[in-house]
Amino acid sequence: MAILEKVDKLHQAIAWQGDIPITNRYTAGVAGERFLREIKDHARILGTRCPDCDLVYVPAALFCERCFAQLDEWLEVSSQGRVFTFTVLFRDLEDRPLDPPAVLAYVKLNGSNGGLVHYLGEVEPDQVFIGLEVEAVFKEASEREGSILDIRYFRPLKR
Amino acid sequence: MGMRKVAVVGAGMTKFVRRALETGKELAFEAAKMALDSCELTLQQVDCVVHGTAPDAFDGVHMKGEYLADGSGAWRKPYTRCYVGGGTGVFAPIHGWYHVASGLFDICLVVCEEKMSSCQPHPQGAFLTIFDHTTERPLGPNLLWIFALEMNRYMHTYGLSKRDIALVSVKNKRNAADHPCSLLGDREITVEDVLNSEVLAWPVQRLDVSPVTDGAVAVVLAAEHVARRITDKPVWIEGVGWNLDTTYWTNRDLCYPRYVENAARMAYEMAGISEPRKQIHIAEPYDPFDYKELHHLEGLLLFDRGKAPEATALGITQRDGDLPVCPSGGLLGVGNPIAAAGLMKVAELFWQLRGEAGARQVPGQPRRGVAQAWGDLMQVGTVIVMGV
Ligand SMILES: [Zn+2]
């Protein structure tokens, strides 16, 4: 890290690279642990309900952000819902082309006031619309590990 | 100055632990809810929320103030996160104070949270890049270097021994044994334990240092006319001060924290304190390292320069001494979830001045205390004077 060794070409600024060497280890939390465990063990999506505000939080939360009640009324919400909004992705995080393009949606789950942002699958991008009815597709039980990716994607509800 | 009187009317804190299952949001919620319950307020009655939390890298969430907003009770309220590094925990209530003193809001909820266990392999890693990338980082510095160099300079200047300083660690860890939230309270600890602990960066040894901790603390501030309706025991914020020294630690007088003195003088003047040694009854200076408590007591003008160790040896700073210092158990004993640890000191004054500190209660009905935190690039001092 001296100045001179950095000047390889005239157009290069005098600079060197460094990084902030940190990794983090996250806990799911009191509510998050139960929420993920239910997905892993039973392929079910849980919410918590605030009786005062009459709201069902998904993902399940330990507390109601509106009234600060501690929430202990747990319930299963539907793994079906509707596309609330969506986007079609043509580039990945490294700016490489995505082929085929991926569809990302905010799915409002039936029986809740919340929902999940997740991928859509088994559907062409031009067939997706706001209001589309979708359902969660879970991985096989043996593959599930207690992650939001235990839900493979949401797909259009077959009638 | 045309400012309104502001009181602390409620306080709450989580247990301080090595590794919490709770998310940062859940920790913040627990402390905030407890603070509101302690003064029988609902979230709806809170006009604004102030959050204090140290570097984002600890929790591993960038823009952590925003992430922690719901747990702090900020849903659809005026909300700000303030940040002055390790000094944040005492600055956050100052930030809340001027929200209320200005007349803008009547009730302000102040929440501080830290989840340091997330940061791997050690939160020290978050500090590797606080150094100058041209002149210091090539040397591979870490945070302990600063403390070791500063502690050595302090010892040299005043002819102090390691033993003189280790007494602080012993006092605080013993005090913390009476704190229901403490991580490292230890009634049996001795000076020999400290002196025999692992040397990390001489003269700093393991038991000279506060532990990595998860936790949250919250207090409720209210304008005078509201405070008197909420409680018959308001604890007034009588003075506030904050001050920053040079960024370059090589340009700093390492044996004396001038910036703490400046912050203290600002707070004392506001509080009408001309003789702090007579008028301050309890001190909660920032003690992430044992020598820092001594350093800060001198900066707070509570002892002559280089004389805080002697006062400690004489027992003056014990819980039943003439000037109880860190009766809570401090960061060395209760734990050091950075911003939460600073606010814990303000909460401790609140409980002590109301006579609600339980087994930690200092005798003699103290009427005024000072809390102080320190941090940023080791050059910020933040000070609050509280009284009844
Ligand atoms: Zn609610």
Side-chain angles (χ1 to χ4, degrees):
Chain A
M1 279 225 215
I3 297 176
L4 288 177
E5 72 189 51
K6 306 298 158 194
V7 188
D8 297 320
K9 300 192 180 86
L10 206 58
H11 69 267
Q12 285 185 324
I14 300 172
W16 52 85
Q17 299 209 332
D19 54 13
I20 302 182
I22 293 172
T23 51
N24 287 91
R25 183 165 55 190
Y26 302 95
T27 59
V30 175
E33 183 112 354
R34 184 162 169 188
F35 176 76
L36 290 176
R37 199 166 288 283
E38 190 72 10
I39 288 177
K40 175 179 180 293
D41 294 345
H42 303 294
R44 287 198 299 236
I45 297 173
L46 292 185
T48 47
R49 180 169 176 272
C50 178
D52 292 336
C53 300
D54 194 22
L55 286 173
V56 176
Y57 285 91
V58 173
L62 180 68
F63 57 91
C64 174
E65 65 174 357
R66 301 191 179 197
C67 74
F68 248 27
Q70 183 147 347
L71 304 181
D72 44 26
E73 190 181 332
W74 287 72
L75 56 133
E76 183 188 353
V77 301
S78 176
S79 59
Q80 300 177 357
R82 288 175 185 271
V83 171
F84 189 72
T85 183
F86 69 98
T87 180
V88 182
L89 310 173
F90 292 91
R91 292 265 168 184
D92 70 9
L93 279 180
E94 275 76 46
D95 202 30
R96 292 173 303 221
L98 271 173
D99 188 23
V103 185
L104 189 83
Y106 165 15
V107 177
K108 255 211 192 301
L109 293 171
N110 297 338
S112 88
N113 299 87
L116 297 171
V117 172
H118 219 297
Y119 290 100
L120 298 190
E122 301 179 36
V123 65
E124 293 301 321
D126 60 7
Q127 294 174 334
V128 179
F129 56 91
I130 288 176
L132 176 66
E133 289 185 88
V134 293
E135 63 180 353
V137 178
F138 292 89
K139 290 179 178 171
E140 293 303 317
S142 59
E143 291 177 56
R144 293 199 297 264
E145 52 188 10
S147 157
I148 198 65
L149 298 179
D150 288 352
I151 300 171
R152 251 185 240 290
Y153 47 73
F154 284 80
R155 69 181 174 202
L157 195 58
K158 294 190 171 65
R159 292 191 174 279
Chain B
M1 276 192 281
M3 290 182 294
R4 304 196 298 177
K5 280 180 77 172
V6 180
V8 182
V9 296
M13 76 183 278
T14 68
K15 278 192 176 358
F16 282 7
V17 296
R18 177 65 190 85
R19 183 168 291 116
L21 164 66
E22 287 84 353
T23 60
K25 289 172 188 277
E26 290 172 341
L27 289 171
F29 162 72
E30 192 182 321
K33 172 85 168 162
M34 204 184 301
L36 289 173
D37 287 351
S38 78
C39 53
E40 297 178 342
L41 286 179
T42 65
L43 189 58
Q44 282 74 12
Q45 291 170 285
V46 171
D47 296 319
C48 70
V49 176
V50 165
H51 190 92
T53 190
D56 289 350
F58 285 161
D59 289 40
V61 177
H62 210 106
M63 299 176 65
K64 156 160 92 142
E66 290 70 7
Y67 167 76
L68 293 167
D70 54 342
S72 304
W75 184 74
R76 292 189 186 163
K77 292 187 190 296
Y79 172 76
T80 44
R81 170 202 186 171
C82 61
Y83 179 83
V84 285
T88 300
V90 169
F91 188 74
I94 294 176
H95 192 68
W97 169 83
Y98 53 69
H99 278 32
V100 179
S102 64
L104 203 52
F105 303 105
D106 285 341
I107 297 179
C108 175
L109 174 63
V110 180
V111 185
C112 287
E113 177 275 356
E114 220 72 63
K115 188 162 185 194
M116 300 176 70
S117 66
S118 151
C119 199
Q120 301 292 313
H122 192 281
Q124 285 277 341
F127 290 113
L128 294 177
T129 51
I130 67 172
F131 299 91
D132 187 283
H133 53 63
T134 306
T135 59
E136 292 170 346
R137 278 187 67 188
L139 304 172
N142 76 31
L143 201 60
L144 280 173
W145 288 26
I146 293 186
F147 299 116
L149 293 166
E150 189 175 74
M151 179 170 168
N152 199 10
R153 188 71 203 168
Y154 179 63
M155 289 167 62
H156 170 81
T157 303
Y158 302 114
L160 303 170
S161 71
K162 286 271 300 162
R163 183 174 292 269
D164 296 329
I165 289 172
L167 289 171
V168 173
S169 189
V170 172
K171 168 179 68 73
N172 290 2
K173 289 177 196 295
R174 287 185 181 175
N175 281 351
D178 293 320
H179 202 304
C181 299
S182 93
L183 172 60
L184 281 189
D186 183 353
R187 226 177 289 284
E188 310 298 328
I189 192 170
T190 65
V191 177
E192 302 308 322
D193 293 334
V194 180
L195 296 178
N196 292 331
S197 64
E198 181 190 356
V199 178
L200 301 176
W202 195 90
V204 174
Q205 291 173 258
R206 187 165 299 280
L207 292 182
D208 292 316
V209 189
S210 56
V212 169
T213 314
D214 294 350
V217 178
V219 299
V220 182
L221 308 183
E224 181 175 13
H225 67 289
V226 180
R228 291 195 191 280
R229 286 206 298 268
I230 294 172
T231 175
D232 51 11
K233 288 196 286 184
V235 177
W236 304 104
I237 295 179
E238 296 181 339
V240 301
W242 63 101
N243 199 274
L244 196 79
D245 205 338
T246 168
T247 294
Y248 298 94
W249 50 298
T250 47
N251 291 352
R252 232 175 280 154
D253 176 0
L254 295 175
C255 66
Y256 184 72
R258 172 77 68 177
Y259 47 95
V260 172
E261 179 187 325
N262 290 355
R265 286 190 184 281
M266 177 177 163
Y268 292 158
E269 187 183 335
M270 193 182 297
I273 291 175
S274 52
E275 294 182 280
R277 291 174 204 195
K278 289 184 185 161
Q279 294 169 279
I280 297 288
H281 306 144
I282 309 178
E284 278 280 345
Y286 207 58
D287 61 322
F289 287 65
D290 42 13
Y291 82 95
K292 290 306 295 184
E293 171 171 313
L294 304 166
H295 226 219
H296 293 150
L297 284 171
E298 294 164 18
L300 290 167
L301 307 172
L302 296 173
F303 296 100
D304 290 343
R305 294 186 190 193
K307 294 298 181 194
E310 191 181 311
T312 303
L314 291 171
I316 290 170
T317 61
Q318 293 287 341
R319 195 178 275 147
D320 57 358
D322 286 348
L323 178 66
V325 175
C326 291
S328 63
L331 281 54
L332 287 162
V334 186
N336 188 9
I338 310 290
L343 192 57
M344 179 264 287
K345 291 180 169 292
V346 173
E348 181 70 9
L349 291 185
F350 173 73
W351 289 315
Q352 290 284 356
L353 296 173
R354 282 162 61 110
E356 295 173 352
R360 307 188 307 287
Q361 185 64 49
V362 307
Q365 295 183 320
R367 299 188 55 77
R368 189 180 282 118
V370 63
Q372 172 258 335
W374 158 92
D376 263 350
L377 297 174
M378 322 312 141
Q379 90 284 36
V380 73
T382 52
V383 175
I384 282 188
V385 174
M386 289 160 60
V388 291

